[in-house]
Amino acid sequence: MESKRQFYLKWPWDWVLYVLLVVVLRIFAIPFIYLIMRWNKKHRPDVPEEGFCVQQTRRQISKLWMSLVFLLVALCGGAVFVAGLLTDERTWEEYAMMAGGAVVGLGSLALAIYVGYTSLRDVFCPEKSTLAQSIRSQMPYPEEAPSAREMFAMVDKDIQENGKWFDKVAVGKEWVLGEQASYIPCIRAVFPRDEIVHRHAGGRVQTSRIVELWIMDDRHQVQSTTLKDYRELQPLVDCIQLRAPDALIVPYSEFDRYNFMEDEEWQKVLQDFRLRDGRRKASQPRTESQPPQNMVLTRADGTVTSRLSMEVLSQMLEECLQSPEETFFLTPSRPIQGEKGAYMELLCSAGTALEGKVRMLLVEAPAQQGGQPENGLHGMVNPEEAEKVLAAWLGGKMPDTTGWTRVQLRMEQQENPQELRPPKLSLVSRRGVSQNHENFTLEDVQVAADGMVDGSYQQVDLTLPGGWLWMRLVAGNADDGRCTVLVTRADPDTLRLFKIKTTPRKAAAWLMDFARGQFRPDWSQWEDITKEVENQ
């Protein structure tokens, strides 16, 4: 039976009551305010009705006192300046005091307005708050990010299901929620700050403790949060390290060096992160559902990947069965030994044209290294048997080929033989250094796409097998930061070339879709430059 919910004051009525008590009772309102706050804290539900994100934005109202302090300093500076104006005779020292008072007064007034505005904005307009901006900036496409309500709901769900609280900071499975939010897969460096600061004023020593958490993401953006309890800082950092094991934990004294790094240095940090991430994943114990990653999947469009599982292969087979006819290839890092020879590749074709059957071909490795394959094993099987063959091959074992036919593989000579060009990935760095790769994976294309976003590469070319389908990304310049994208399209009558300018993130997304064979843009927005190129 659910317990009866106790009454408590919701926001903003609790603050309205506090203000009224202060106006009516003055200093005697303090004990009443304390009792009301204790009552609210005791009976308020663990999960706020408005959500964790909105609750965090409303806490920013506490910063209004800083605005009042700056305003008081501004009044003092203005008083010094006005007092100087009212003096008939002024010395150079008085002119200096007037100038100092004016500078301090204007500066403090600007700070008071800024702090007051941002605090009230965060409280009454959460969709424009600093928290909403921090979430939006970490979306794959910030300019196309969903509404603040949807972003808050996404973070709230993660915190509610997986959140661990440290002071006023929550660490979920995907998000760290404080005064700003950090997307855990994007965290690259964490800077915990716990410093005791001494100030000398009026012959006395004032001591204060600064407890903060600073997080730097893969886009070199920084999110920060202030903590009240210094004892919660280290457990908080340990929890983040468990969720982002490859991120750096760096003393705060190194923050400025990382924050003002040149692009080349920051790229080195990102490369080191990818290296640590790859080593960690490679060292993880493998299970039957995660066999050794020594197999490469190549689709008919030339896209490749080595991140394989039976789920991936089953989905690929299902897609082929629903198509007219498609083929994919599974190539191990070294031939798999069978009873009558070693086999270097498995070809799998399926589609409606095969009437529910799956055509499979095991290519026998040539006797001499570097030679051309001459023989293979061919079989027509049903989808269930095909999955068993794929599972055995993925596990590095020779599948059951009972009933398969040994066939001879020969390339027919033509009068004008045309070599099938391999796929190619060409990169040009910001300094003009070129790299060409014919052996690469989908992960390498992802690195190239990320490099176009963060500025590591000036140009990226991707050519699919055959040499006809091609995409080029060219980075923008100081006058126009948009990327120029060139891509070919194979029409029935001719090969056309199209051009468009877009944001680096959109261009990177198109590059990945092109590599996966999922590039389906709205061609009406593209410029057809086929004739222009032909005329040149």
Side-chain angles (χ1 to χ4, degrees):
M1 182 176 179
E2 295 185 0
S3 59
K4 186 177 179 180
R5 293 182 60 179
Q6 297 289 337
F7 170 79
Y8 70 96
L9 284 173
K10 298 181 180 179
W11 190 94
W13 301 113
D14 51 350
W15 283 89
V16 172
L17 181 58
Y18 300 155
V19 172
L20 290 176
L21 287 173
V22 171
V23 171
V24 175
L25 301 178
R26 309 284 178 151
I27 193 173
F28 300 103
I30 293 177
F32 294 99
I33 293 176
Y34 174 77
L35 291 174
I36 294 173
M37 292 178 69
R38 289 294 300 270
W39 175 272
N40 269 2
K41 184 176 181 180
K42 180 178 180 181
H43 297 290
R44 183 183 291 118
D46 295 334
V47 179
E49 296 179 6
E50 67 276 13
F52 296 108
C53 290
V54 173
Q55 183 186 64
Q56 290 286 60
T57 61
R58 289 177 178 173
R59 286 177 177 173
Q60 302 308 306
I61 198 172
S62 61
K63 291 186 177 180
L64 281 178
W65 72 270
M66 296 177 59
S67 178
L68 297 176
V69 171
F70 287 130
L71 185 60
L72 181 61
V73 174
L75 291 175
C76 294
V80 171
F81 179 74
V82 172
L85 287 178
L86 298 177
T87 304
D88 295 333
E89 297 181 0
R90 307 181 189 92
T91 62
W92 286 107
E93 289 81 0
E94 290 173 333
Y95 277 115
M97 289 184 63
M98 288 175 60
V103 171
V104 171
L106 292 174
S108 299
L109 180 61
L111 286 173
I113 294 174
Y114 173 76
V115 174
Y117 166 75
T118 54
S119 299
L120 294 175
R121 179 201 63 190
D122 288 3
V123 171
F124 295 104
C125 300
E127 66 278 0
K128 298 181 180 179
S129 64
T130 304
L131 177 59
Q133 294 174 17
S134 68
I135 300 174
R136 185 178 295 109
S137 68
Q138 295 171 84
M139 293 286 100
Y141 311 108
E143 62 277 3
E144 301 175 7
S147 65
R149 184 185 299 273
E150 294 177 76
M151 294 190 298
F152 284 174
M154 172 183 63
V155 177
D156 287 341
K157 182 180 179 181
D158 180 44
I159 298 303
Q160 182 175 352
E161 294 178 355
N162 311 291
K164 295 183 181 297
W165 286 90
F166 304 89
D167 199 355
K168 58 180 182 178
V169 181
V171 181
K173 186 177 181 179
E174 296 184 339
W175 291 92
V176 177
L177 177 62
E179 295 171 4
Q180 300 180 57
S182 299
Y183 186 49
I184 291 178
C186 292
I187 294 177
R188 296 297 178 264
V190 179
F191 304 85
R193 183 185 186 186
D194 184 5
E195 297 180 1
I196 298 177
V197 180
H198 301 281
R199 296 185 181 88
H200 298 272
R204 294 179 300 176
V205 178
Q206 297 178 349
T207 302
S208 61
R209 190 165 195 159
I210 301 176
V211 184
E212 295 174 333
L213 179 71
W214 295 75
I215 294 175
M216 190 171 294
D217 64 19
D218 58 345
R219 299 177 187 173
H220 218 172
Q221 300 174 135
V222 175
Q223 300 91 39
S224 64
T225 297
T226 302
L227 283 76
K228 296 180 180 178
D229 189 350
Y230 71 93
R231 293 168 297 185
E232 296 286 340
L233 180 60
Q234 189 56 49
L236 170 60
V237 174
D238 293 341
C239 184
I240 295 176
Q241 191 170 24
L242 288 174
R243 301 290 170 89
D246 302 308
L248 296 173
I249 308 298
V250 187
Y252 182 76
S253 58
E254 294 288 312
F255 175 77
D256 286 342
R257 184 175 73 85
Y258 277 81
N259 194 33
F260 298 106
M261 272 184 174
E262 297 292 337
D263 290 342
E264 291 79 6
E265 294 180 278
W266 182 245
Q267 287 306 312
K268 181 64 168 56
V269 173
L270 296 181
Q271 290 174 3
D272 291 343
F273 173 87
R274 289 192 286 265
L275 183 61
R276 291 193 301 273
D277 180 66
R279 288 175 175 172
R280 178 179 57 82
K281 290 179 179 178
S283 63
Q284 288 178 345
R286 303 183 180 97
T287 63
E288 293 182 0
S289 60
Q290 294 178 324
Q293 298 296 323
N294 59 352
M295 192 78 63
V296 175
L297 168 67
T298 306
R299 296 177 175 85
D301 58 10
T303 57
V304 296
T305 181
S306 60
R307 301 290 182 185
L308 299 178
S309 64
M310 265 315 296
E311 289 78 8
V312 173
L313 295 182
S314 297
Q315 182 180 359
M316 187 69 196
L317 180 61
E318 183 64 27
E319 292 175 359
C320 292
L321 287 168
Q322 295 176 3
S323 68
E325 184 175 354
E326 286 191 14
T327 303
F328 62 91
F329 311 81
L330 280 174
T331 308
S333 58
R334 57 182 180 274
I336 295 177
Q337 188 66 41
E339 293 182 1
K340 299 182 179 180
Y343 294 85
M344 58 183 290
E345 191 171 46
L346 172 64
L347 282 69
C348 181
S349 300
T352 55
L354 299 179
E355 300 179 349
K357 291 291 187 177
V358 180
R359 179 189 296 120
M360 311 198 84
L361 176 65
L362 278 171
V363 180
E364 188 175 347
Q368 296 182 352
Q369 187 174 3
Q372 294 295 323
E374 298 180 355
N375 301 299
L377 290 175
H378 174 265
M380 296 292 291
V381 299
N382 58 45
E384 292 75 15
E385 293 174 341
E387 288 202 6
K388 294 179 181 179
V389 172
L390 292 173
W393 188 256
L394 183 61
K397 300 177 182 179
M398 187 66 184
D400 182 8
T401 57
T402 304
W404 290 31
T405 306
R406 185 174 179 83
V407 295
Q408 187 175 9
L409 308 177
R410 292 180 298 181
M411 297 294 293
E412 297 294 337
Q413 296 294 327
Q414 302 177 1
E415 295 182 2
N416 297 312
Q418 188 175 28
E419 182 182 0
L420 182 66
R421 298 179 184 176
K424 186 176 181 181
L425 179 65
S426 300
L427 310 172
V428 179
S429 69
R430 294 179 60 188
R431 296 187 176 184
V433 180
S434 300
Q435 302 177 36
N436 296 307
H437 306 277
E438 291 188 353
N439 295 317
F440 58 91
T441 65
L442 193 62
E443 285 73 24
D444 297 320
V445 180
Q446 181 67 65
V447 172
D450 294 340
M452 289 300 299
V453 175
D454 57 38
S456 303
Y457 297 119
Q458 180 66 27
Q459 179 176 304
V460 173
D461 285 15
L462 177 61
T463 306
L464 300 185
W468 301 108
L469 297 180
W470 163 83
M471 176 180 281
R472 169 175 291 176
L473 275 58
V474 182
N477 51 37
D479 297 328
D480 188 350
R482 294 177 299 171
C483 277
T484 301
V485 182
L486 300 170
V487 65
T488 57
R489 188 182 77 184
D491 288 355
D493 56 340
T494 185
L495 188 69
R496 297 188 178 276
L497 181 63
F498 291 84
K499 176 182 176 181
I500 197 174
K501 285 196 172 185
T502 187
T503 62
R505 295 194 181 281
K506 190 67 174 178
W510 280 341
L511 180 66
M512 294 306 301
D513 289 343
F514 188 72
R516 297 187 182 102
Q518 301 171 355
F519 184 60
R520 304 289 186 272
D522 182 4
W523 292 107
S524 62
Q525 301 179 4
W526 291 67
E527 178 186 0
D528 188 348
I529 60 172
T530 306
K531 292 184 179 180
E532 178 183 338
V533 174
E534 289 175 349
N535 294 334
Q536 293 177 355

